[in-house]
Amino acid sequence: WKLIFLHYFCQFLVGALGQQQLAVLMPCLYEALENSDWATRKASAETLSRIGSNLGSTLAFYKSKTLCALESCRFDKVS
């Protein structure tokens, strides 16, 4: 439930995220991508997508880790 709340929260405030907030948020999203609950993994991926669409080059520091995290979910299935 925390990640779903975070997903909706980020929809509205993603433009206001700074480096300090990203330093806290990104590890949480990576962890959520490994969660056994499919809806949590999906919400995390959607949140990463929205953040990436809005912040672009601000996320350069997180690019490699984000790509690795998403690659691990590439063939994810609803369970």
Side-chain angles (χ1 to χ4, degrees):
W1 71 268
K2 292 177 185 177
L3 188 61
I4 293 171
F5 169 77
L6 183 60
H7 171 70
Y8 289 110
F9 180 72
C10 284
Q11 286 186 55
F12 300 107
L13 299 178
V14 78
L17 292 173
Q19 289 299 326
Q20 290 179 328
Q21 291 84 10
L22 287 172
V24 173
L25 177 63
M26 297 303 282
C28 295
L29 293 173
Y30 298 146
E31 183 179 329
L33 285 173
E34 298 174 0
N35 192 289
S36 62
D37 178 56
W38 179 83
T40 301
R41 294 190 306 270
K42 181 177 186 254
S44 178
E46 289 175 350
T47 301
L48 284 168
S49 174
R50 187 165 312 269
I51 290 171
S53 295
N54 289 288
L55 297 181
S57 63
T58 306
L59 299 171
F61 177 79
Y62 300 100
K63 182 179 179 179
S64 178
K65 180 144 175 111
T66 301
L67 290 175
C68 288
L70 291 171
E71 183 65 28
S72 70
C73 300
R74 185 174 181 188
F75 299 107
D76 200 6
K77 296 180 181 177
V78 176
S79 55

